[in-house]
Amino acid sequence: RFVLAAFAVGTVLRILRLNQPVTYDEAVTFTEYAGRSFGFLLSDYSFAGNHILYSALARLALLVFGPHTWSLRLPALIAGVLVMPLGYAFVRTVFNRHIAVIFLCLVAAGGSLVEYSAMARGYSLVWLCTCLALIAGHYFVKSENMWAATGMAASCALGMWAAPAMAYPALMVYAWVLFML
């Protein structure tokens, strides 16, 4: 029950942040990329702040739900919410349930994670892809399954497409898997 309560609190904290004023980076994401065609936003990387995967997901959300602040931020919210159970599952398999609950509480109420989960940028997708890569990497270490290695690589690649800052978590994931092997 405590795990579900922590998950619910984290979700509510993220939803409450959706109505914050739009930041400069979010406005640029909307006006320069998410508000344009898929072909343009996937092919133009003239602005280093373009988080291509996020822009594509935001474009999709804007097409489905209309031009609202919350629809622009919806992909970040979904990724930020999914990080909580995936991170909990990973930490529980690597350590134990007590450490996993502590981790979940830190992720659910962590200020930066809550903020980035309600900001129209690709950083919450980076966290999501990092969790997916860690889960796939752990499965690869245990079973040496090539599908797990492919999933780890795909998660890292998607994360880098979401934001170039994923290079650092990707290096961490690969180093961790190397040391575990």
Side-chain angles (χ1 to χ4, degrees):
R1 287 184 224 172
F2 186 77
V3 169
L4 292 175
F7 178 72
V9 167
T11 302
V12 168
L13 288 174
R14 284 155 175 76
I15 291 171
L16 290 175
R17 298 283 306 205
L18 285 179
N19 293 325
Q20 295 294 319
V22 175
T23 65
Y24 174 77
D25 285 339
E26 291 176 306
V28 169
T29 296
F30 175 73
T31 59
E32 296 296 323
Y33 298 103
R36 294 188 172 183
S37 70
F38 283 107
F40 176 80
L41 69 91
L42 293 174
S43 63
D44 182 32
Y45 196 66
S46 59
F47 177 60
N50 179 18
H51 296 171
I52 295 172
L53 179 61
Y54 188 85
S55 296
L57 293 173
R59 173 74 179 147
L60 185 64
L62 288 167
L63 287 174
V64 171
F65 299 110
H68 306 284
T69 304
W70 64 267
S71 60
L72 179 65
R73 294 174 173 167
L74 188 61
L77 175 69
I78 292 170
V81 169
L82 288 175
V83 164
M84 291 184 287
L86 289 174
Y88 174 81
F90 169 72
V91 173
R92 185 168 176 154
T93 59
V94 173
F95 299 104
N96 61 42
R97 67 178 182 184
H98 304 293
I99 295 173
V101 167
I102 293 169
F103 176 83
L104 177 62
C105 291
L106 291 172
V107 170
S112 297
L113 294 175
V114 171
E115 181 179 348
Y116 284 130
S117 295
M119 184 181 286
R121 304 296 287 145
Y123 300 116
S124 59
L125 291 173
V126 168
W127 272 97
L128 177 65
C129 291
T130 301
C131 286
L132 290 171
L134 285 169
I135 290 169
H138 183 258
Y139 185 69
F140 174 71
V141 167
K142 295 294 179 190
S143 66
E144 295 186 15
N145 183 329
M146 291 312 292
W147 287 107
T150 303
M152 182 178 67
S155 297
C156 289
L158 279 175
M160 285 187 213
W161 207 33
M166 178 65 186
Y168 301 111
L171 287 172
M172 181 265 311
V173 168
Y174 281 108
W176 178 73
V177 167
L178 179 68
F179 291 131
M180 290 299 289
L181 288 174

